[in-house]
Structures are given as structure tokens and as C-alpha cells.
Amino acid sequence: MRGLIRALVCFGSLAALSSPAVAAPAQAAPADRQTGESAGCRMIAVRPVATETAVRAVVSRAGCRERTFVDIQIRVAGPGPDKIIRKATRAIGNGRVAVTTRCTNRPRTYYVVALDREGEFSRSGAVRLSCATPGAPTPTPTATPTTGPTAKPTPTPTNDGGSDVGTAVEREVVRLTNEARRREGCKPLIHDAKLRAAAFGHSSDMARNNYFSHDSRDGKDPGDRIRAAGFSPLRAWGENIAAGQRTAAQAVQAWLDSPGHRANILNCRFTHIGVGVAQGSRTYWTQNFASH
């Protein structure tokens, strides 16, 4: 049976929790807090990526009944107003559309903004990117002659943020999550005991009561659960959930394969994570992301 995934993300102050940003990694289709159990139309702006000559922006839509036009902007963050360096309009139903713009080898911070004609808005996470200069020669390393024996280098320990919080399976989820973040230039997340308590409590509740939702049966959302666990101050939070995956690797890969869930994992604004895994009729997985 295919595993289920659903995701939720919210940024900004606590007052902004009623207006979460779009994200999806924990349900069968991209979803944020606004999706809940519904399968409504959702649009997601994915973090841009760089090639040798261009920055590429992707916007996806899912669960939509009709085609519409989407206005897409690639922006560069900097002092003063952020600069729009590429604007385009694309027609899309369900699926993905891409827009590219030239870039240089000077690193800059890019993000994507999308607005469709139905009023659906999405903004991607920001990422620092640069492009290799086309045709530039690759430097050849020069060997340095040595005299006498060479000491073996001491491996540099990697901080996967796992520490001793949670179970071995939960720490493996953290390790794999941080491995994905490291590849994208984000700092590793700290496995926080309070966030882990919130995540494990939700996985356990879903397992005991055989349901699958970001909202608890008592009506609490992820932000409520994170605050109740004592994580404070709470500046930004997000949640990915999944059910049916058998291993940590399968759960994390399922999230990474979904644009919204991947956006949660690769959001450099998050600094802490809590992972909770519980067994019921199937295995339930919860990731809670947050920053102070």
C-alpha cells in the first residue's frame, strides 16, 4: 500500500499563523496548513536552482479543476527593496511550469513568487546561488612535494543534530534531513526534545485513533502542539507527516519527492526539528520544524 504524506508550513509571527505560506510534504499531494483534509487546488513556488548559466524557477499546481494563468517572478534579495529580475506569465492546469533567468558567478540570494488568476499566492524559500562562467577552465590542482611521512588527516566530525534525543529511527530521520539540507547549503537542524515531544505526541495520537491529519482530533494544529510542548519563543514553524513508510529513508525520500514537503526540509530559516515515529495499523511519521 502506498504511503501517505502531508505537509504544513507557517512563517512569521504568531499573529500570522492564520495565514500560512504554501507547503506540502506530508500528504499525497502538496499541502499546507490551509489544505487540512480537503483536496483543494494548491499552488507551490519551489526554491530556485542554478545551472551553469541560469537560475531556474518552478511553480507547481495540484488538485485544480481548471487551467489558469500564473504570474511568476524571480526575485533577488538585498538591501532595500528586493529586485525583480525576471517576470513571466504561464498557463497551467495541474503540473509544473518553469521560468529561467541568466545569472553570474557572483552569489546572490534568489526566491520565487507566484500568483494565479484565482488569487492563490505562493512564495518559495530563499537560497543563495551562483552560476559557473560558461567555458571557464577548471583549475588543475598542483601537487605539493613533501619530505618525510605525512600524517593522516583527522576526520572532521559532522553535526547531524541528532544528539541523544528520540529513538534511533527518529535520529536517522534527522540525519537524513540534515544531509539533504547540507547539500543545498542550509545549516543542520538541532533535534530538540520539546519539538520531538510535540511530534511524537501527534504520531502516537494518529496511530491510536487511526486518522491522518495535521489537526488533532481535539482541534489543535501544529503550532498549538509545539507551544504546548514548551518550545518558546516560537517565530516560525512547519510540519510534515507521513504514514505507511517502513523505514526512515523511505519517509524522508517521500517528503523530498514532494515539492511542498521538500520546501519544509530545505527551508534555511528553520533551526530546530522534532521527529516522532509511532506504530499503529501502520507507521506514522511526524516532522516538526521551528525557529525561535
Side-chain angles (χ1 to χ4, degrees), residues 17 22-23 46 53 58 61 72 103 108 149 157 161 175 186 193 202 209 215 228 230 235-236 240 244 250 254 260 271:
L17 294 183
V22 175
V46 183
T53 59
V58 173
R61 289 177 89 234
I72 304 170
C103 66
R108 295 198 290 179
R175 187 189 71 80
C186 293
H202 189 50
N209 295 291
D215 291 330
R235 184 174 181 181
N240 289 349
Q250 289 177 354
T271 55

Side-chain angles (χ1 to χ4, degrees), residues 68 96 118 237 279:
T68 189
R96 297 156 65 93
E118 311 303 319
W237 56 262
Q279 185 66 49

Side-chain angles (χ1 to χ4, degrees), residues 33 59 103 149 214 226:
R33 179 64 192 87
V59 175
C103 66
H214 288 295
I226 290 170

Side-chain angles (χ1 to χ4, degrees), residues 98-157:
V99 174
T100 61
T101 186
R102 294 178 60 186
C103 66
T104 68
N105 58 356
R106 179 170 62 89
R108 295 198 290 179
T109 300
Y110 297 84
Y111 64 95
V112 181
V113 172
L115 177 67
D116 69 19
R117 301 301 164 83
E118 311 303 319
E120 189 75 16
F121 173 83
S122 179
R123 171 175 169 164
S124 76
V127 60
R128 194 162 179 80
L129 300 172
S130 63
C131 295
T133 303
T138 302
T140 302
T142 302
T144 302
T146 60
T147 57
T150 302
K152 291 184 179 180
T154 303
T156 302

Side-chain angles (χ1 to χ4, degrees), residues 170 191 195-196 199-201 203 274-278 284-288:
E170 291 163 351
H191 199 188
L195 287 179
R196 189 266 171 181
F200 180 73
S203 288
V275 175
V277 182
Y284 289 83
W285 311 76
T286 299
Q287 286 181 313
N288 283 151

Side-chain angles (χ1 to χ4, degrees), residues 39-42 61-68 92-94 116 118:
C41 179
R42 288 294 178 265
R61 289 177 89 234
C64 304
R65 296 181 179 178
E66 299 180 358
R67 289 173 61 84
T68 189
I92 181 176
N94 291 317
D116 69 19
E118 311 303 319

Side-chain angles (χ1 to χ4, degrees), residues 56-102:
R56 183 170 185 265
V58 173
V59 175
S60 67
R61 289 177 89 234
C64 304
R65 296 181 179 178
E66 299 180 358
R67 289 173 61 84
T68 189
F69 287 97
V70 178
D71 296 322
I72 304 170
Q73 298 178 359
I74 302 178
R75 299 185 181 182
V76 172
D82 292 348
K83 183 178 180 181
I84 300 171
I85 61 171
R86 178 77 163 93
K87 293 194 297 185
T89 300
R90 297 286 187 268
I92 181 176
N94 291 317
R96 297 156 65 93
V97 291
V99 174
T100 61
T101 186
R102 294 178 60 186

Side-chain angles (χ1 to χ4, degrees), residues 166-202:
T167 66
V169 171
E170 291 163 351
R171 292 195 294 271
E172 178 65 3
V173 172
V174 175
R175 187 189 71 80
L176 293 170
T177 298
N178 280 336
E179 185 176 282
R181 287 172 63 86
R182 190 176 294 113
R183 290 195 297 266
E184 297 296 323
C186 293
K187 293 181 179 179
L189 297 165
I190 298 169
H191 199 188
D192 182 84
K194 293 175 181 177
L195 287 179
R196 189 266 171 181
F200 180 73
H202 189 50

